[in-house]
Amino acid sequence: MDFRGISLTELLVQKNNPQDVINYFYNRTKRHNDAINAYLYVDESEPIAKKNRVSSLLNAIPLALKDNILTKHQPTTAASQILSNFMSPYAATITHKLTQAGATILGKTNMDAWAHGSSTETSDFGITTNPYNVAFVAGGSSGGSAAAVAAGLVPAAIGTETAGSIRGPASWSGVVGLKPTYGRVSRYGIIAMGSSWDCPGPITQTVEDAALLLEILAGVDRYDATSINAPVERYKKQLEENKKFTIGVADEYFDGVDKDVMKSVDSSLSRLTKLGHRIKKIHLMHPKYAISVYMLLQRSEVSSNLGRYDGIRYGKNRSYFGQEAQRRIMLGSYALSTGYYDKYYKKAQKVRYIIREDFEKVFQDVDIIFAPTMPITATRIGDISSFSFYGEQMDVLAEPAAAAGIPAITIPAGIDHKGLPIGVQFMGPYLGESLILQAAYQLEKEIQFDRLSVMKKYE
Amino acid sequence: MADSVKKLTKEDIKHIAQLANLDIDNDELEAYSKQLTDSLHYVENLEDIDTSGVPDTFFTTHAKNSMQEDVIDESVTLPQEEVLQNAPKKRNGYFVVKRIL
């Protein structure tokens, strides 16, 4: 049996013997995880268990979860030493939804410790390498989920994004990554980082798979007061509507973007025009302001959220925090402290409001916005230190949508001269997941990105 | 503009670390002092933006208030031993903490 490069949707259509599918991905994972370190934990019991609800929606197909998503019978570490022995007494709402839908949770994937980073280099348990070239990073913070999908170690995975942590690694690893509207997917049982930003979402081989998983993940949750009480749409069915959109393009998002990435952007725009969409020049606030907003608000929320790690109820004590967590906690504590609150936290909150207004104004003229996902392709392992504000620079084009809480999706659009994948993204209005999924679906068909070649390296 | 930003000295870092209950090695203070000061310089660009017309309250969603009945959902309550399963020190069904008085 060979399920290499078969998407989640295709696997469901094929109605394979679930045990064959599980065995295939379990065996691939055991053989190749050492090469890319995508998983922190692989379940040794689940793959042969008979308890899967094989008749249900997902037909026992294996999925991988980022290791900041609580699972009841599997460890959750957030890639930090502090939680190296932690077993959650309860599961996240999305874990529950996926298992109820019949998914097999094959394992938990590597990430930057506490999801603080954009390269999975700050994990306390080793770097996840890029399946295309192991001298490069997979991106982060959901690097393990993206690399596992790209290398074909699992048909699809779940990541989380605060500002770029789904779209970044998906882009650098050549897979699809969807960051939903803030509140569309419950945060209950996700290890909190920036609570007013955090969004779980799918990382998949195809746009169709992202739509399918979003339908399962989305919905209001009484245990997350910030979850949105709006009906969950038939995202997958809507893909076939073949709608034509007015697509906004802003020069502010091309500032400092690499030449190879721009080539993919330009060819994508030609394809979108050919498909009958209208491209319209727009102006958006420069993304550099979103960096500052993110830097202050995320750090502030981190300093509060990581306050609970005191080594009393669970986990090790605070001396086990890595440098990145220490830096963020300190900057956040400072930004929230007496005398600086107005200058930093409150000012950043107000600029965040303006970023959202800026998008809302533009969405009166266009349906969706198109842009590169990352300004460059994956960086070499260790290069992080040669950039000041590495994460912010890498995620600059992802941060404004995250600040505004609007949905965005990245799809692979090409390969650069180093042989590394390039991603392009669509951003949509509040709860406009269906629009960006449809546009991405149409563009994906035109691009016909080769996702098989990289998987052939892992046989 | 940048001159208006305070430099975070090693003493400041020590103070902030103490507030956040972090143990910082002395030989790391210099690097943190520089890195955090750099961050404060970067975020000065927010001063470019006029926020005088922006309300004080903001949240990411458009939701107003989220209310629900105050009832216990037995399906999610946990037995005491599971709540305590990760505690390094426990006694008689309690977490053990250091004496603070």
Side-chain angles (χ1 to χ4, degrees):
Chain A
M1 287 285 181
D2 185 3
F3 301 117
R4 183 180 60 202
I6 313 281
S7 75
L8 183 60
T9 311
E10 289 160 349
L11 284 171
L12 289 169
V13 171
Q14 288 179 357
K15 293 199 170 38
N16 303 291
N17 176 345
Q19 196 59 54
D20 289 345
V21 179
I22 293 173
N23 291 348
Y24 175 80
F25 287 102
Y26 175 78
N27 289 330
R28 268 184 83 86
T29 294
K30 295 301 274 186
R31 269 203 309 279
H32 301 295
N33 190 48
D34 284 352
I36 54 175
N37 196 32
Y39 286 85
L40 293 179
Y41 169 83
V42 180
D43 198 319
E44 304 286 344
S45 63
E46 191 90 8
I48 48 162
K50 299 279 183 280
K51 64 188 174 192
N52 298 307
R53 287 162 284 264
V54 291
S55 61
S56 54
L57 183 61
L58 289 176
N59 198 28
I61 289 177
L63 297 178
L65 304 183
K66 185 178 182 179
D67 205 25
N68 59 351
I69 301 170
L70 298 184
T71 41
K72 195 169 173 178
H73 305 289
Q74 299 165 319
T76 305
T77 68
S80 167
Q81 278 294 350
I82 288 188
L83 293 177
S84 62
N85 300 313
F86 179 69
M87 283 295 274
S88 172
Y90 68 97
T93 295
I94 61 167
T95 306
H96 186 66
K97 283 186 165 192
L98 290 167
T99 49
Q100 283 292 305
T104 300
I105 307 303
L106 183 59
K108 307 290 289 288
T109 55
N110 199 9
M111 53 188 279
D112 284 290
W114 307 107
H116 296 169
S118 307
S119 65
T120 314
E121 285 171 286
T122 71
S123 166
D124 283 349
F125 308 116
I127 297 166
T128 296
T129 57
N130 195 304
Y132 281 80
N133 184 337
V134 294
F136 290 79
V137 300
S141 63
S142 312
S145 288
V149 174
L153 306 189
V154 74
I158 307 297
T160 64
E161 169 157 338
T162 306
S165 278
I166 286 176
R167 286 172 284 163
S171 170
W172 280 3
S173 300
V175 292
V176 175
L178 171 67
K179 182 207 95 77
T181 302
Y182 175 82
R184 177 72 294 189
V185 177
S186 166
R187 293 182 295 112
Y188 180 71
I190 313 270
I191 293 180
M193 200 254 262
S195 300
S196 75
W197 304 66
D198 296 344
C199 291
I203 294 178
T204 56
Q205 299 174 69
T206 67
V207 175
E208 201 176 22
D209 287 359
L212 169 73
L213 286 175
L214 182 63
E215 275 181 42
I216 296 168
L217 298 171
V220 71
D221 178 8
R222 71 171 293 199
Y223 300 108
D224 174 3
T226 61
S227 63
I228 300 166
N229 193 0
V232 176
E233 295 177 53
R234 303 287 303 277
Y235 302 110
K236 188 159 165 280
K237 202 166 167 228
Q238 287 163 342
L239 293 178
E240 303 297 342
E241 287 176 7
N242 206 27
K243 274 192 193 143
K244 301 302 167 198
F245 299 110
T246 302
I247 302 174
V249 174
D251 281 344
E252 291 84 357
Y253 282 65
F254 299 143
D255 212 5
V257 173
D258 167 82
K259 248 197 268 166
D260 286 355
V261 176
M262 276 313 290
K263 260 190 228 161
S264 283
V265 167
D266 289 337
S267 71
S268 296
L269 283 171
S270 312
R271 292 177 202 275
L272 288 166
T273 309
K274 202 183 102 194
L275 283 164
H277 302 289
R278 197 162 72 89
I279 308 297
K280 188 173 177 182
K281 279 252 174 202
I282 51 166
H283 283 291
L284 280 168
M285 205 166 139
H286 198 286
K288 71 183 177 190
Y289 296 109
I291 292 184
S292 299
V293 167
Y294 177 69
M295 213 185 272
L296 288 169
L297 298 184
Q298 185 264 3
R299 268 57 166 180
S300 299
E301 294 179 24
V302 161
S303 74
S304 163
N305 276 325
L306 296 192
R308 75 191 59 165
Y309 297 98
D310 52 12
I312 293 171
R313 291 156 303 160
Y314 41 75
K316 297 180 191 149
N317 67 50
R318 295 173 79 76
S319 68
Y320 288 86
F321 275 126
Q323 290 195 355
E324 187 59 31
Q326 288 188 338
R327 251 194 303 277
R328 292 186 188 215
I329 291 169
M330 286 194 287
L331 186 59
S333 302
Y334 181 73
L336 290 173
S337 61
T338 314
Y340 300 100
Y341 178 86
D342 281 359
K343 178 171 168 55
Y344 294 118
Y345 183 81
K346 202 165 158 189
K347 178 75 185 180
Q349 254 328 1
K350 289 188 167 195
V351 175
R352 186 179 193 183
Y353 180 92
I354 291 177
I355 293 172
R356 188 172 81 179
E357 298 265 287
D358 187 46
F359 275 115
E360 283 180 356
K361 205 174 85 208
V362 164
F363 283 126
Q364 290 174 0
D365 292 333
V366 299
D367 299 310
I368 52 176
I369 297 164
F370 178 80
T373 309
M374 305 288 273
I376 59 175
T377 54
T379 54
R380 213 170 255 284
I381 288 169
D383 272 6
I384 182 170
S385 54
S386 61
F387 293 87
S388 54
F389 309 124
Y390 173 87
E392 285 72 17
Q393 280 193 49
M394 295 308 138
D395 292 330
V396 57
L397 305 176
E399 281 170 354
I406 57 173
I409 186 169
T410 180
I411 63 167
I415 295 283
D416 77 350
H417 69 278
K418 290 176 279 191
L420 296 168
I422 295 166
V424 293
Q425 65 172 331
F426 292 98
M427 292 167 260
Y430 186 72
L431 291 177
E433 277 82 357
S434 179
L435 308 180
I436 56 171
L437 281 161
Q438 286 184 51
Y441 182 66
Q442 294 176 32
L443 180 60
E444 175 189 55
K445 275 193 193 166
E446 288 294 312
I447 292 174
Q448 290 289 323
F449 182 80
D450 165 25
R451 65 173 186 265
L452 275 176
S453 295
V454 65
M455 294 180 189
K456 287 180 188 157
K457 291 167 60 178
Y458 302 93
E459 279 321 308
Chain B
M1 263 315 238
D3 295 345
S4 69
V5 181
K6 195 179 156 194
K7 181 182 183 315
L8 289 178
T9 62
K10 290 204 266 186
E11 285 310 307
D12 292 327
I13 298 293
K14 268 191 202 165
H15 176 65
I16 300 167
Q18 196 190 2
L19 291 177
N21 192 16
L22 295 173
D23 228 348
I24 306 287
D25 290 341
N26 272 328
D27 52 2
E28 289 174 343
L29 289 173
E30 185 71 48
Y32 282 145
S33 149
K34 186 186 173 311
Q35 287 159 350
L36 296 193
T37 302
D38 285 350
S39 297
L40 293 182
H41 277 287
Y42 188 91
V43 301
E44 275 298 287
N45 69 10
L46 294 180
E47 298 300 325
D48 299 351
I49 297 175
D50 176 15
T51 51
S52 53
V54 178
D56 272 357
T57 51
F58 169 82
F59 198 67
T60 327
T61 70
H62 293 211
K64 288 281 187 292
N65 287 312
S66 179
M67 312 289 265
Q68 63 184 16
E69 290 302 314
D70 187 16
V71 288
I72 294 171
D73 177 358
E74 302 271 356
S75 72
V76 295
T77 55
L78 296 171
Q80 198 175 37
E81 62 271 23
E82 285 182 29
V83 173
L84 289 162
Q85 74 189 22
N86 288 288
K89 282 190 190 163
K90 55 202 157 192
R91 196 189 309 150
N92 301 333
Y94 290 98
F95 296 110
V96 175
V97 298
K98 268 193 214 159
R99 210 190 146 109
I100 49 171
L101 282 178

